Amino acid sequence: MARPLIIVTGKNGQLGRELEQLHSSFSGDFDFVFTGKEELDLSKPETIPPFIQKHKPQYFINCAAYTAVDKAESEKAQAYTINAESVGAIAEACSLVNCKLITISTDYVFDGKGKAPYPTDHPTDPINYYGYSKQQGEIAALQNCKETVIIRSSWIYSPFGNNFVKTMLRLMKEKEEISVVNDQIGSPTYAADLAQAIMKMINQLSGSNPKYGLYHFSNDGIISWYDFAVAIKSMAGLNCRLMPVPTIAYPTPAKRPHYSVLDKQKIVGDFGIELRDWKLSLKDCLQKITASQ
């Protein structure tokens, strides 16, 4: 009997690469197809239905996205096509072949005015275009495929690609002093931990009582970007001076939410996902970065 097929988009991104690293542990249970832009280009939504019809997967993990938050303010059409229109097309095509969809969203769907972690049912109200495009993708996915799981995550980092951890390591080695925003509050997510959580969820979705809908995932802990930088500096043993600054001192084309902590009780309760402390995950990631240099 053929093994269930999982298609993963965004194979060159942080989460896609972590899933590819992980997939050999599950190769006895599932077959995998990893796609990048060459195999499935989300800027061309019309190519999605024939691709899914051809492969007829049982699971589709959409890790691909337009993630350039500031550029999205001027490249609105492209951001919308990839983050909203194509997600809707994926969901519709998945529904036609009885495929379960997991797609990744963001803390940026919230306005950042909260004072306590956002539950999954809190009204969304994005303050930048990237957040808006992801919000529209959530709506399209839930409308077009009833077997959809949306995982909102925040501050994703890994040894791969461009992210805050790697940028800080580079800048701390190049400069004697750097300024880091200290009034944006959230929770980091190590992409390897998110990949593990997704595979645990897929195992459960294949059972007799699958759960669908909106979920939140990040590592455990509530910090500012400045706190994050301090921890990176300490763990990496670097000497750069870090200066805490308010958001107003670092203007960007896209507004950032001031508070975007996600309430993760639902994913813990429904899927038994264990949340790692952010410092433990950061330590793991830094060790992998060091080992690869």
Side-chain angles (χ1 to χ4, degrees):
M1 190 173 156
R3 287 187 292 259
L5 173 64
I6 300 175
I7 289 179
V8 181
T9 62
K11 71 174 184 183
N12 300 312
Q14 297 189 79
L15 183 56
R17 289 184 70 174
E18 291 289 2
L19 281 163
E20 196 154 17
Q21 300 261 311
L22 193 60
H23 91 280
S24 57
S25 312
F26 295 91
S27 55
D29 302 314
F30 301 99
D31 287 328
F32 290 80
V33 170
F34 288 88
T35 71
K37 212 172 173 180
E38 308 74 34
E39 297 85 7
L40 187 61
D41 186 351
L42 266 59
S43 68
K44 297 171 181 167
E46 68 280 2
T47 65
I48 293 166
F51 184 89
I52 292 177
Q53 198 65 44
K54 176 187 165 189
H55 289 279
K56 293 187 168 59
Q58 280 70 46
Y59 302 92
F60 193 106
I61 307 173
N62 180 37
C63 307
Y66 180 104
T67 57
V69 177
D70 288 320
K71 276 170 95 176
E73 297 297 314
S74 54
E75 295 182 355
K76 290 180 176 170
Q78 193 181 354
Y80 189 87
T81 299
I82 294 169
N83 290 347
E85 197 179 336
S86 282
V87 175
I90 289 167
E92 191 172 355
C94 282
S95 186
L96 291 173
V97 297
N98 293 319
C99 172
K100 300 172 197 287
L101 170 62
I102 294 179
T103 188
I104 309 304
S105 192
T106 174
D107 56 327
Y108 280 25
V109 297
F110 297 117
D111 63 12
K113 294 175 184 170
K115 300 274 193 300
Y118 287 99
T120 55
D121 59 358
H122 191 280
T124 56
D125 186 16
I127 57 171
N128 58 45
Y129 197 82
Y130 164 74
Y132 170 74
S133 69
K134 295 294 282 183
Q135 175 207 43
Q136 294 303 301
E138 290 184 2
I139 293 166
L142 292 169
Q143 281 178 345
N144 291 353
C145 179
K146 66 180 189 299
E147 295 184 328
T148 290
V149 172
I150 293 169
I151 306 173
R152 293 184 185 131
S153 196
S154 57
W155 299 19
I156 294 178
Y157 69 94
S158 74
F160 309 113
N162 298 315
N163 56 67
F164 183 80
V165 173
K166 289 177 73 180
T167 299
M168 285 296 109
L169 288 172
R170 177 175 56 79
L171 291 176
M172 286 178 198
K173 288 169 186 169
E174 289 174 0
K175 298 175 182 289
E176 290 183 11
E177 180 179 298
I178 52 176
S179 299
V180 186
V181 169
N182 73 338
D183 59 354
Q184 291 174 26
I185 307 299
S187 304
T189 303
Y190 182 26
D193 293 340
L194 178 51
Q196 291 272 10
I198 288 169
M199 291 311 301
K200 184 164 186 178
M201 293 171 88
I202 280 185
N203 273 328
Q204 200 149 324
L205 289 175
S206 60
S208 58
N209 185 28
K211 302 271 201 321
Y212 301 104
L214 285 160
Y215 289 89
H216 290 167
F217 180 88
S218 72
N219 287 121
D220 212 16
I222 299 174
I223 58 171
S224 68
W225 289 111
Y226 174 76
D227 298 328
F228 201 12
V230 168
I232 294 164
K233 174 188 165 181
S234 171
M235 288 185 198
L238 297 168
N239 295 317
C240 177
R241 276 193 311 279
L242 298 177
M243 304 296 292
V245 296
T247 298
I248 199 166
Y250 189 69
T252 53
K255 285 185 183 173
R256 302 300 199 270
H258 278 290
Y259 183 96
S260 63
V261 180
L262 301 171
D263 183 324
K264 299 167 285 279
Q265 290 176 16
K266 190 178 170 193
I267 203 168
V268 172
D270 284 2
F271 289 96
I273 302 295
E274 291 176 21
L275 304 174
R276 294 179 80 204
D277 181 87
W278 69 272
K279 285 184 178 172
L280 294 176
S281 295
L282 175 60
K283 189 177 174 187
D284 277 4
C285 182
L286 289 173
Q287 285 173 345
K288 283 188 182 169
I289 291 171
T290 304
S292 67
Q293 286 171 346

